[in-house]
Amino acid sequence: MPTPIRGLIVGPVLLSLVVAAPLAAQNVDSPRYPPAGLDMSATDSSTRPGDDFYQFANGAWLARMAIPTDKPYVTEWQLMRDRTEAQLRDLIQAADASAPHEPATVEGKVGAFYKSFMDLSRLEALGARPIAPELAAIRASRTRAELARLMGNAHAGFEGSFIDFWIDADPKEPEHYAVTLYQNGLSLPDRDYYLKPDFANEREGLRSYVERLLTLAHWPAAKMSAASIVALESRIAQASWTKVEQRDPPALYNPMSPAELTAYAPGFPWTAFLRGAGLASKHQLIIAEKTAFPRIAKIFADTPIETLKAWLAFTVADTAAPYLSSSFASAHFQYHAHALLGIQEQPVRWKLGVRAVAGGDCFAGGPRDCFGTLNWAVGQMYTASYFPPETKKRIEAMVANITQAYRHRLEHLDWMTDATRAEALHKLDTYVVKVGYPDKARDYSGVLIKDDDLIGNVRRAAAADWDFYVRRSDGPVDKSDWQMTPQTVDAYNGTLRDIVFPAAILGPPGFDVHADPAVNYGAAGWGAAHELTHGFDDAGRTIDAKGALRDWWTEADAREFKARTALLAAQFASYEPLPGLHINSQLTMGENIADLGGLAIALEAYHDSLHGEPAPVIDGLTGDQRFFRSWAQYYRGKATEDFIRQYTVSNEHSFWPYRVNGAVRNIDAWYEAFDVKPGDRLYVEPGKRVRIW
Ligand SMILES: [Zn+2]
């Protein structure tokens, strides 16, 4: 998926707000949780596994962990992020100590950027002055075309835009790049926040936040403008597709020339907009949420120009706020982190500084979280110091086993016809696995970084980043591309049919070189299988082995697939993370399929890895018991209510306890491993268990 500047959130967990103390030194030859890699002190032995497996495996841990005041949750993934962040701090602070004023080396630039972020007294003295050039350009605009041109700067600068855009492999001609345009323009996490009565508080929060930022930016008539801006965004919300409607790749593929787009969606100055984005030479565009475009264009044309200017000024201040004085930064925190996510306390400065330079999830939200970084430069430094080559070899071997197990399951899948099966196997063969870090380093030699010019650093880094993508877009698709940095604690499957594991996700407990294989297969192994199955989920199955959008399913197979996924959807729709708030089974469909398929495939791969030998019993647990407990441990976490609400409304993943319980109850081996019987709360009759892969 692209990285829209507002809107969609990708990745298994949504936000990384930070950190605990660095870990105590660990015995280098033993797993993080000896002896097998499982935290047995987490067990809640008062809960039967068949009633609530997640609680059984994690209950004591959940009871003793507190949500840190500077985060919306505590999770196993977050603890991994905390460790990575401490490692990055050490690297970046060492670079900071030796950086000259305008450094030439990669390390020097990283150090100087960090130093400019940490210079609070300078930022206090500057107030709103660093964003004066952007605000002046908005003020000086006399026409809608000039404003649209500024919106085109949205990836290279601080401006927001009614329309987002991204460059990626063309879904119908995957050897070439294409520019796709997306609906955009919302400051709240989802259109539901504007349209449903339950979110009245959040809307009022947005209104007062806009007023506060416009006041700080010395924008005229801040109070009145704030009300107009919320009304404007509510109209855009009404015009926008839902997140469920967006899970349909064929519907999102609508090629048009700029002239056709101008005729189809009049009222928005498309030519000026594309010029602003550096995309004026493109003869073809792909329009994603097609029917939303004429509606959004009309809203742009109907809205008084003063409101459009105020909206743009607000988006500039909102994006820039974390890099400005404490008045801006704390208003940003109070709204995005406290009001929307329930986070109590702003993270300490060094954590924000590390994120500003290294990228990732930076400031607890906000639509433009963490842009204009030196993320790939930090990635080079990180892997050089923290990624043992041994891990790379071990992971590659495990993923080869996982792919083999998936192949075997596809070959024997009883519901699939041979025609579809042949295409599926062919597609599986085209997947490549990328582990650790990209082969090619990004060139930062042309990016000027100064140790006393924070906003300039962000502005220049963002512009260089966007320029990189625009320039590359005229050539063939770069198959070696990475869309996540090595220091990211996450993984993805991409449009290049690649499964990508950044170095930082390959630490314990996801992958622990000293742990028992059952534990690694239940965590990182499951992750690999999960990502693979995305190529065949409700959205991924519309893409073929060449990476092109094409329906390669026979009608009978498509019908059977839909019937099976409908059963899974019915299960998930019955889960209720908060009273009255159910899981959106259509939004989470792809992830639920991937969780279930991933677990079944990883278990088979684990069994294969034993080569016919029985699994050892360790700490009283069988191999299968360790495997399932590892999966439950990997997704343990607890969160604020605000976070659970936002996650459930807008995230494509089900809330964690339901991911775990929702998957295991469909797998026969789990029933045997934990002696789950009729009458247990998670029990599903054998005939009603969902099996897709
Ligand atoms: Zn996924």
Side-chain angles (χ1 to χ4, degrees):
M1 288 302 287
T3 325
I5 55 178
R6 287 163 190 271
L8 295 181
I9 287 155
V10 290
V13 192
L14 149 69
L15 277 177
S16 129
L17 297 189
V18 190
V19 190
L23 279 192
Q26 191 193 340
N27 179 342
V28 288
D29 291 327
S30 65
R32 175 165 309 278
Y33 299 114
L38 289 174
D39 176 11
M40 299 302 289
S41 76
T43 314
D44 170 8
S45 38
S46 71
T47 299
R48 293 168 44 77
D51 283 338
D52 184 346
F53 185 60
Y54 178 83
Q55 174 68 22
F56 159 76
N58 300 315
W61 184 89
L62 292 168
R64 70 173 175 256
M65 295 300 278
I67 297 172
T69 52
D70 64 352
K71 301 188 192 82
Y73 51 64
V74 54
T75 67
E76 195 61 53
W77 285 55
Q78 185 55 49
L79 298 175
M80 287 196 270
R81 290 189 171 119
D82 293 348
R83 292 198 293 272
T84 305
E85 195 156 53
Q87 292 166 334
L88 293 173
R89 175 193 57 193
D90 293 347
L91 287 174
I92 292 172
Q93 286 181 347
D96 165 30
S98 55
H101 174 57
E102 283 183 23
T105 66
V106 162
E107 287 78 12
K109 288 180 190 206
V110 165
F113 195 132
Y114 180 74
K115 200 185 277 179
S116 72
F117 190 91
M118 299 306 282
D119 191 352
L120 280 170
S121 55
R122 177 182 295 272
L123 299 179
E124 288 306 331
L126 288 171
R129 250 183 297 156
I131 52 171
E134 281 84 358
L135 297 177
I138 297 166
R139 252 190 224 108
S141 297
R142 309 230 166 269
T143 64
R144 279 163 212 275
E146 286 174 68
L147 294 178
R149 187 182 170 126
L150 292 176
M151 289 186 178
N153 198 44
H155 281 283
F158 297 97
E159 294 83 355
S161 174
F162 280 22
I163 300 294
D164 191 18
F165 44 97
W166 193 247
I167 304 169
D168 210 339
D170 184 329
K172 290 250 164 124
E173 288 176 59
E175 303 297 316
H176 302 284
Y177 285 110
V179 175
T180 303
L181 306 188
Y182 299 88
Q183 68 182 27
N184 197 43
L186 303 182
S187 301
L188 285 163
D190 188 74
R191 73 195 283 284
D192 279 5
Y193 278 69
Y194 296 88
L195 306 177
K196 296 206 167 152
D198 352 350
F199 293 106
N201 285 342
E202 284 81 355
R203 285 193 293 277
E204 170 51 25
L206 173 63
R207 198 209 54 74
S208 67
Y209 174 58
V210 176
E211 183 183 343
R212 173 89 180 125
L213 280 199
L214 290 179
T215 305
L216 288 171
H218 312 298
W219 196 263
K223 194 180 176 75
M224 211 173 69
S225 298
S228 314
I229 285 171
V230 176
L232 164 63
E233 292 197 4
S234 302
R235 289 185 69 197
I236 299 175
Q238 191 80 55
S240 301
W241 286 21
T242 65
K243 286 209 163 79
V244 169
E245 288 167 330
Q246 289 172 308
R247 290 191 55 76
D248 185 358
L252 297 171
Y253 191 84
N254 306 287
M256 286 186 201
S257 67
E260 286 167 331
L261 177 59
T262 302
Y264 175 69
F268 189 80
W270 296 102
T271 311
F273 172 70
L274 292 169
R275 201 174 302 131
L279 299 170
S281 66
K282 302 292 177 191
H283 303 301
Q284 179 169 284
L285 307 162
I286 296 166
I287 309 310
E289 301 87 353
K290 186 173 174 184
T291 54
F293 276 60
R295 300 197 287 252
I296 292 175
K298 185 170 184 328
I299 293 168
F300 182 84
D302 287 352
T303 302
I305 196 160
E306 288 310 315
T307 305
L308 295 176
K309 286 178 161 189
W311 184 84
L312 261 173
F314 160 67
T315 62
V316 166
D318 184 30
T319 311
Y323 309 98
L324 298 173
S325 66
S326 57
S327 317
F328 278 96
S330 43
H332 184 275
F333 171 81
Q334 281 303 323
Y335 176 64
H336 288 292
H338 182 67
L340 290 180
L341 289 167
I343 302 171
Q344 296 306 316
E345 205 183 343
Q346 202 163 6
V348 295
R349 189 75 185 172
W350 74 258
K351 295 178 184 178
L352 298 176
V354 165
R355 293 174 210 169
V357 187
D361 305 306
C362 289
F363 305 116
R368 300 286 304 281
D369 208 17
C370 217
F371 90 125
T373 67
L374 298 179
N375 54 356
W376 296 103
V378 174
Q380 270 174 262
M381 292 161 61
Y382 175 74
T383 43
S385 298
Y386 290 108
F387 188 59
E390 171 65 13
T391 306
K392 189 162 172 138
K393 272 186 260 156
R394 293 272 302 274
I395 291 276
E396 282 167 350
M398 185 170 76
V399 174
N401 285 349
I402 300 269
T403 311
Q404 186 49 37
Y406 196 11
R407 163 167 270 284
H408 184 250
R409 290 178 80 86
L410 279 173
E411 281 166 354
H412 295 90
L413 209 53
D414 54 7
W415 60 266
M416 195 174 253
T417 64
D418 287 341
T420 305
R421 188 192 323 276
E423 292 255 19
L425 288 169
H426 182 38
K427 180 170 180 180
L428 184 65
D429 286 340
T430 65
Y431 271 88
V432 290
V433 178
K434 298 175 184 171
V435 175
Y437 51 91
D439 298 335
K440 280 187 258 175
R442 183 75 73 87
D443 178 13
Y444 283 96
S445 57
V447 186
L448 174 66
I449 300 295
K450 300 183 191 179
D451 69 356
D452 61 354
D453 181 16
L454 175 59
I455 213 95
N457 291 337
V458 175
R459 200 183 275 132
R460 288 184 293 269
D465 202 45
W466 180 242
D467 187 54
F468 170 83
Y469 291 112
V470 172
R471 277 209 252 169
R472 193 178 68 170
S473 68
D474 289 329
V477 164
D478 176 6
K479 298 241 164 83
S480 71
D481 187 49
W482 279 57
Q483 295 184 11
M484 253 179 209
T485 58
Q487 64 273 29
T488 309
V489 179
D490 210 334
Y492 73 94
N493 84 98
T495 46
L496 302 170
R497 277 148 297 122
D498 47 356
I499 307 290
V500 183
F501 287 103
I505 189 130
L506 299 171
F511 187 82
D512 190 335
V513 280
H514 302 296
D516 169 67
V519 174
N520 284 335
Y521 274 92
W526 162 85
H530 168 107
E531 297 300 342
L532 268 180
T533 69
H534 272 312
F536 306 84
D537 70 16
D538 59 325
R541 75 182 192 84
T542 62
I543 311 284
D544 72 9
K546 290 206 175 76
L549 197 54
R550 176 172 71 83
D551 188 1
W552 45 272
W553 291 59
T554 68
E555 219 171 284
D557 288 315
R559 209 178 318 116
E560 187 61 31
F561 179 84
K562 284 182 187 154
R564 285 168 186 262
T565 55
L567 287 177
L568 192 64
Q571 289 180 4
F572 275 84
S574 73
Y575 305 145
E576 206 175 341
L578 292 174
L581 181 68
H582 285 258
I583 285 183
N584 182 335
S585 62
Q586 295 307 311
L587 176 63
T588 57
M589 173 78 89
E591 295 300 334
N592 299 333
I593 295 170
D595 282 349
L596 173 58
L599 206 57
I601 294 161
L603 180 65
E604 180 162 330
Y606 165 60
H607 289 163
D608 294 345
S609 77
L610 296 168
H611 300 293
E613 298 293 315
V617 172
I618 303 175
D619 232 4
L621 300 183
T622 66
D624 282 13
Q625 286 174 334
R626 291 193 298 280
F627 172 88
F628 286 112
R629 284 200 56 154
S630 176
W631 150 247
Q633 172 176 293
Y634 202 40
Y635 270 99
R636 64 188 180 179
K638 67 196 226 187
T640 64
E641 258 192 50
D642 289 316
F643 177 85
I644 298 171
R645 185 170 298 107
Q646 183 177 123
Y647 195 85
T648 304
V649 169
S650 63
N651 200 282
E652 296 180 350
H653 303 83
S654 300
F655 184 49
W656 317 314
Y658 304 95
R659 290 186 78 164
V660 172
N661 286 341
V664 293
R665 63 191 305 215
N666 288 299
I667 295 188
D668 297 343
W670 173 76
Y671 287 80
E672 287 154 31
F674 295 95
D675 194 27
V676 178
K677 294 266 177 344
D680 292 348
R681 283 214 294 273
L682 293 175
Y683 182 83
V684 178
E685 282 172 47
K688 292 188 174 160
R689 292 175 201 162
V690 181
R691 177 173 169 189
I692 297 165
W693 304 120

